[in-house]
Amino acid sequence: MKSAAHQFYRTLSLTAFLAALLLVGCAKKAAPPTPPPAPPPPAAKPTVTLQANPSSIQKGESTTLSWSSTNATQLSIAPEVGPVAPEGNTKVSPADTTAYTITATGPGGSESATASVSVAAPPPPPTPPAVREPTLEELFAKEVQDAYFDYNKADVRADARTALARTADFLKNYPQVRIVIEGHCDERGSTEYNLVLGDRRAAAAKQYLVSLGVSADRLTTVSYGKEKPFCTSSNEECWQQNRRGHFALAK
Protein backbone atom coordinates (compact mmCIF):
# COMPACT_ATOMS: atom_id res chain seq x y z
CA MET A 1 0.00 0.00 0.00
CA LYS A 2 2.84 2.40 0.86
CA SER A 3 4.71 1.46 -2.28
CA ALA A 4 1.72 2.28 -4.47
CA ALA A 5 1.28 5.65 -2.79
CA HIS A 6 4.91 6.44 -3.18
CA GLN A 7 4.76 5.61 -6.85
CA PHE A 8 1.71 7.85 -7.24
CA TYR A 9 3.46 10.81 -5.68
CA ARG A 10 6.46 10.34 -7.87
CA THR A 11 4.27 10.26 -10.94
CA LEU A 12 2.41 13.33 -9.81
CA SER A 13 5.65 15.25 -9.15
CA LEU A 14 7.03 14.35 -12.57
CA THR A 15 3.82 15.42 -14.20
CA ALA A 16 3.92 18.74 -12.39
CA PHE A 17 7.55 19.28 -13.39
CA LEU A 18 6.83 18.60 -17.06
CA ALA A 19 3.87 20.93 -16.94
CA ALA A 20 6.08 23.67 -15.50
CA LEU A 21 8.65 23.16 -18.27
CA LEU A 22 5.91 23.34 -20.88
CA LEU A 23 4.61 26.60 -19.43
CA VAL A 24 8.08 28.12 -19.45
CA GLY A 25 8.62 27.11 -23.11
CA CYS A 26 5.29 28.57 -24.13
CA ALA A 27 6.06 31.77 -22.27
CA LYS A 28 9.36 32.15 -24.16
CA LYS A 29 7.69 31.57 -27.53
CA ALA A 30 5.04 34.16 -26.85
CA ALA A 31 7.60 37.05 -26.28
CA PRO A 32 7.49 39.80 -29.04
CA PRO A 33 10.36 39.77 -31.64
CA THR A 34 13.20 42.34 -31.42
CA PRO A 35 12.51 45.26 -33.86
CA PRO A 36 15.02 45.64 -36.83
CA PRO A 37 17.51 48.56 -36.77
CA ALA A 38 16.30 51.88 -38.34
CA PRO A 39 17.38 52.39 -42.02
CA PRO A 40 20.11 55.02 -42.65
CA PRO A 41 18.88 58.51 -43.69
CA PRO A 42 18.78 59.16 -47.47
CA ALA A 43 21.82 60.85 -49.06
CA ALA A 44 21.53 64.64 -49.36
CA LYS A 45 20.71 65.98 -52.83
CA PRO A 46 23.52 68.02 -54.48
CA THR A 47 23.33 71.81 -54.77
CA VAL A 48 25.19 73.88 -57.35
CA THR A 49 25.45 77.52 -58.47
CA LEU A 50 26.98 79.06 -61.63
CA GLN A 51 27.68 82.70 -62.46
CA ALA A 52 29.26 84.54 -65.42
CA ASN A 53 31.08 87.82 -64.83
CA PRO A 54 30.59 89.83 -66.92
CA SER A 55 27.46 88.41 -68.45
CA SER A 56 27.72 90.62 -71.55
CA ILE A 57 30.88 90.90 -73.66
CA GLN A 58 32.00 92.06 -77.09
CA LYS A 59 32.96 89.42 -79.62
CA GLY A 60 36.57 88.39 -79.01
CA GLU A 61 36.49 89.25 -75.28
CA SER A 62 36.48 86.81 -72.31
CA THR A 63 34.27 86.27 -69.28
CA THR A 64 34.80 84.26 -66.07
CA LEU A 65 32.55 81.38 -65.04
CA SER A 66 32.45 80.81 -61.24
CA TRP A 67 30.70 77.92 -59.48
CA SER A 68 30.31 76.13 -56.13
CA SER A 69 28.53 72.94 -55.05
CA THR A 70 27.67 70.69 -52.10
CA ASN A 71 27.06 66.93 -51.83
CA ALA A 72 28.42 66.34 -55.34
CA THR A 73 31.05 63.88 -56.47
CA GLN A 74 31.09 64.80 -60.16
CA LEU A 75 30.59 68.15 -61.88
CA SER A 76 30.72 69.11 -65.55
CA ILE A 77 30.10 72.36 -67.49
CA ALA A 78 28.77 72.37 -71.02
CA PRO A 79 29.46 73.42 -73.66
CA GLU A 80 33.21 73.08 -74.15
CA VAL A 81 34.45 73.30 -70.51
CA GLY A 82 33.94 69.68 -69.39
CA PRO A 83 34.62 68.15 -65.92
CA VAL A 84 35.45 70.62 -63.13
CA ALA A 85 36.26 70.65 -59.42
CA PRO A 86 33.48 71.08 -56.82
CA GLU A 87 34.32 74.79 -56.66
CA GLY A 88 36.32 77.09 -58.91
CA ASN A 89 36.35 79.43 -61.90
CA THR A 90 37.55 79.47 -65.50
CA LYS A 91 37.71 81.91 -68.39
CA VAL A 92 35.72 81.33 -71.56
CA SER A 93 35.54 83.24 -74.85
CA PRO A 94 32.32 82.28 -76.62
CA ALA A 95 32.01 83.33 -80.24
CA ASP A 96 28.25 83.83 -79.91
CA THR A 97 25.68 84.23 -77.15
CA THR A 98 25.90 81.02 -75.08
CA ALA A 99 24.05 79.43 -72.13
CA TYR A 100 26.52 77.49 -69.95
CA THR A 101 25.07 74.65 -67.81
CA ILE A 102 26.81 72.98 -64.87
CA THR A 103 25.55 69.54 -63.76
CA ALA A 104 26.42 68.24 -60.28
CA THR A 105 25.97 64.51 -59.52
CA GLY A 106 26.24 62.74 -56.15
CA PRO A 107 24.75 59.86 -54.13
CA GLY A 108 21.62 61.94 -53.57
CA GLY A 109 20.92 62.58 -57.25
CA SER A 110 21.83 65.42 -59.60
CA GLU A 111 21.24 69.16 -59.87
CA SER A 112 22.08 71.76 -62.53
CA ALA A 113 22.43 75.54 -62.90
CA THR A 114 22.74 77.81 -65.93
CA ALA A 115 24.49 81.12 -66.67
CA SER A 116 24.07 82.94 -69.97
CA VAL A 117 26.75 85.05 -71.66
CA SER A 118 25.55 87.58 -74.22
CA VAL A 119 28.04 88.24 -77.03
CA ALA A 120 27.62 91.45 -79.03
CA ALA A 121 29.26 92.10 -82.35
CA PRO A 122 32.09 94.64 -82.08
CA PRO A 123 31.05 98.16 -83.01
CA PRO A 124 31.82 99.06 -86.59
CA PRO A 125 34.97 101.09 -87.11
CA PRO A 126 34.40 104.81 -87.15
CA THR A 127 33.49 106.11 -90.53
CA PRO A 128 36.40 108.04 -91.92
CA PRO A 129 35.60 111.62 -92.69
CA ALA A 130 34.43 112.11 -96.20
CA VAL A 131 37.23 113.08 -98.50
CA ARG A 132 36.38 116.42 -100.02
CA GLU A 133 36.99 116.61 -103.70
CA PRO A 134 39.28 119.53 -104.52
CA THR A 135 37.70 122.40 -106.38
CA LEU A 136 38.74 123.31 -109.88
CA GLU A 137 40.45 126.40 -108.47
CA GLU A 138 42.46 124.27 -106.04
CA LEU A 139 43.47 121.85 -108.78
CA PHE A 140 44.45 124.77 -111.02
CA ALA A 141 46.65 126.30 -108.31
CA LYS A 142 48.33 122.95 -107.69
CA GLU A 143 48.92 121.76 -111.25
CA VAL A 144 49.46 124.93 -113.29
CA GLN A 145 52.94 126.44 -113.03
CA ASP A 146 54.27 129.76 -114.23
CA ALA A 147 56.93 129.98 -116.95
CA TYR A 148 59.98 132.11 -116.06
CA PHE A 149 62.16 134.08 -118.50
CA ASP A 150 65.69 135.46 -118.65
CA TYR A 151 66.38 139.18 -118.43
CA ASN A 152 65.17 141.10 -121.48
CA LYS A 153 64.18 137.86 -123.28
CA ALA A 154 61.00 136.05 -124.27
CA ASP A 155 62.59 132.72 -125.24
CA VAL A 156 61.03 129.64 -123.58
CA ARG A 157 63.93 128.17 -121.62
CA ALA A 158 64.22 124.53 -120.40
CA ASP A 159 62.58 124.96 -116.99
CA ALA A 160 59.74 126.94 -118.60
CA ARG A 161 59.12 124.11 -121.07
CA THR A 162 58.74 121.67 -118.16
CA ALA A 163 56.26 123.98 -116.42
CA LEU A 164 54.29 124.57 -119.61
CA ALA A 165 54.10 120.81 -120.31
CA ARG A 166 52.48 120.30 -116.91
CA THR A 167 50.07 123.15 -117.59
CA ALA A 168 49.19 121.61 -120.95
CA ASP A 169 48.40 118.27 -119.27
CA PHE A 170 46.02 120.00 -116.87
CA LEU A 171 44.25 121.83 -119.66
CA LYS A 172 43.81 118.58 -121.62
CA ASN A 173 42.31 116.88 -118.55
CA TYR A 174 39.89 119.76 -117.99
CA PRO A 175 38.76 120.87 -121.44
CA GLN A 176 36.19 123.23 -119.93
CA VAL A 177 38.94 125.43 -118.48
CA ARG A 178 39.95 128.64 -120.28
CA ILE A 179 42.95 130.63 -119.06
CA VAL A 180 44.53 134.05 -119.28
CA ILE A 181 48.31 134.17 -119.79
CA GLU A 182 49.79 137.28 -118.16
CA GLY A 183 53.17 138.64 -119.30
CA HIS A 184 55.24 140.20 -116.47
CA CYS A 185 58.64 141.96 -116.31
CA ASP A 186 60.99 143.21 -113.63
CA GLU A 187 61.26 146.89 -112.73
CA ARG A 188 64.15 147.75 -115.04
CA GLY A 189 63.36 149.53 -118.29
CA SER A 190 60.56 151.87 -119.27
CA THR A 191 56.88 151.13 -118.83
CA GLU A 192 56.30 151.08 -122.58
CA TYR A 193 59.21 148.74 -123.26
CA ASN A 194 58.14 146.29 -120.55
CA LEU A 195 54.54 146.22 -121.80
CA VAL A 196 55.85 145.06 -125.16
CA LEU A 197 58.24 142.55 -123.56
CA GLY A 198 55.44 141.23 -121.36
CA ASP A 199 53.25 140.76 -124.41
CA ARG A 200 56.04 138.79 -126.16
CA ARG A 201 56.45 136.55 -123.10
CA ALA A 202 52.70 135.83 -122.87
CA ALA A 203 52.59 135.08 -126.60
CA ALA A 204 55.60 132.73 -126.33
CA ALA A 205 53.92 130.78 -123.52
CA LYS A 206 50.69 130.55 -125.51
CA GLN A 207 52.44 129.33 -128.63
CA TYR A 208 54.26 126.63 -126.69
CA LEU A 209 50.98 125.39 -125.16
CA VAL A 210 49.40 125.30 -128.62
CA SER A 211 52.37 123.23 -129.85
CA LEU A 212 51.57 120.74 -127.05
CA GLY A 213 48.00 120.29 -128.26
CA VAL A 214 46.03 122.96 -126.36
CA SER A 215 43.44 124.77 -128.47
CA ALA A 216 44.37 128.42 -129.03
CA ASP A 217 40.80 129.60 -128.46
CA ARG A 218 41.10 128.57 -124.80
CA LEU A 219 44.09 130.88 -124.27
CA THR A 220 43.97 134.66 -123.89
CA THR A 221 47.06 136.85 -123.42
CA VAL A 222 47.57 140.14 -121.61
CA SER A 223 50.70 142.15 -120.72
CA TYR A 224 51.16 143.92 -117.39
CA GLY A 225 54.80 144.82 -117.99
CA LYS A 226 56.28 145.90 -114.67
CA GLU A 227 53.01 147.26 -113.25
CA LYS A 228 52.03 144.20 -111.12
CA PRO A 229 55.25 142.86 -109.56
CA PHE A 230 55.18 139.67 -107.46
CA CYS A 231 58.20 140.89 -105.49
CA THR A 232 59.26 144.47 -104.73
CA SER A 233 62.90 144.11 -103.67
CA SER A 234 65.57 145.45 -106.01
CA ASN A 235 67.78 142.37 -106.43
CA GLU A 236 68.20 139.56 -108.96
CA GLU A 237 66.27 137.01 -106.91
CA CYS A 238 63.27 139.31 -106.78
CA TRP A 239 63.59 140.38 -110.42
CA GLN A 240 63.58 136.73 -111.54
CA GLN A 241 60.25 136.20 -109.80
CA ASN A 242 58.80 139.10 -111.76
CA ARG A 243 59.99 137.87 -115.18
CA ARG A 244 57.27 135.36 -115.86
CA GLY A 245 54.30 134.20 -117.81
CA HIS A 246 51.58 133.83 -115.17
CA PHE A 247 48.37 131.81 -115.62
CA ALA A 248 44.93 132.71 -114.29
CA LEU A 249 41.50 131.15 -114.74
CA ALA A 250 39.44 133.13 -117.22
CA LYS A 251 36.34 134.65 -115.62
Side-chain angles (χ1 to χ4, degrees), residues 6-232:
H6 182 70
Q7 184 66 32
F8 173 78
Y9 284 118
R10 286 185 61 191
T11 302
L12 183 61
S13 298
L14 180 58
T15 301
F17 177 73
L18 292 174
L21 288 177
L22 182 59
L23 288 174
V24 171
C26 290
K28 287 184 179 181
K29 288 181 181 180
T34 303
K45 189 175 182 179
T47 65
V48 66
T49 62
L50 179 64
Q51 294 179 329
N53 185 30
S55 59
S56 297
I57 60 173
Q58 298 288 335
K59 195 164 188 174
E61 295 180 344
S62 298
T63 185
T64 299
L65 297 178
S66 302
W67 66 91
S68 62
S69 67
T70 61
N71 307 315
T73 55
Q74 292 181 335
L75 292 96
S76 181
I77 298 177
E80 299 178 354
V81 179
V84 294
E87 183 173 352
N89 60 75
T90 188
K91 285 187 176 295
V92 292
S93 300
D96 301 293
T97 297
T98 303
Y100 289 91
T101 300
I102 185 170
T103 301
T105 304
S110 64
E111 189 64 40
S112 62
T114 300
S116 294
V117 179
S118 176
V119 179
T127 303
V131 177
R132 183 181 65 85
E133 292 294 331
T135 65
L136 184 62
E137 290 76 10
E138 290 170 337
L139 290 171
F140 183 88
K142 178 181 179 182
E143 299 297 331
V144 175
Q145 299 180 350
D146 289 350
Y148 293 92
F149 295 88
D150 289 332
Y151 174 66
N152 201 30
K153 290 184 179 181
D155 301 328
V156 179
R157 65 193 195 191
D159 62 331
R161 289 195 292 270
T162 301
L164 290 169
R166 185 167 179 175
T167 299
D169 289 339
F170 176 83
L171 294 173
K172 292 175 184 177
N173 291 330
Y174 296 90
Q176 75 276 25
V177 173
R178 305 173 71 88
I179 64 172
V180 176
I181 307 174
E182 303 173 356
H184 294 270
C185 305
D186 64 36
E187 64 185 14
R188 293 170 292 181
S190 67
T191 299
E192 293 76 8
Y193 180 82
N194 281 313
L195 283 172
V196 174
L197 180 58
D199 186 64
R200 289 169 53 207
R201 287 171 175 169
K206 176 180 177 178
Q207 186 57 43
Y208 195 82
L209 290 173
V210 170
S211 72
L212 294 175
V214 179
S215 177
D217 61 6
R218 299 172 60 192
L219 310 172
T220 302
T221 62
V222 63
S223 176
Y224 290 108
K226 63 178 182 180
E227 301 306 313
K228 290 187 176 182
F230 292 85
C231 179
T232 57

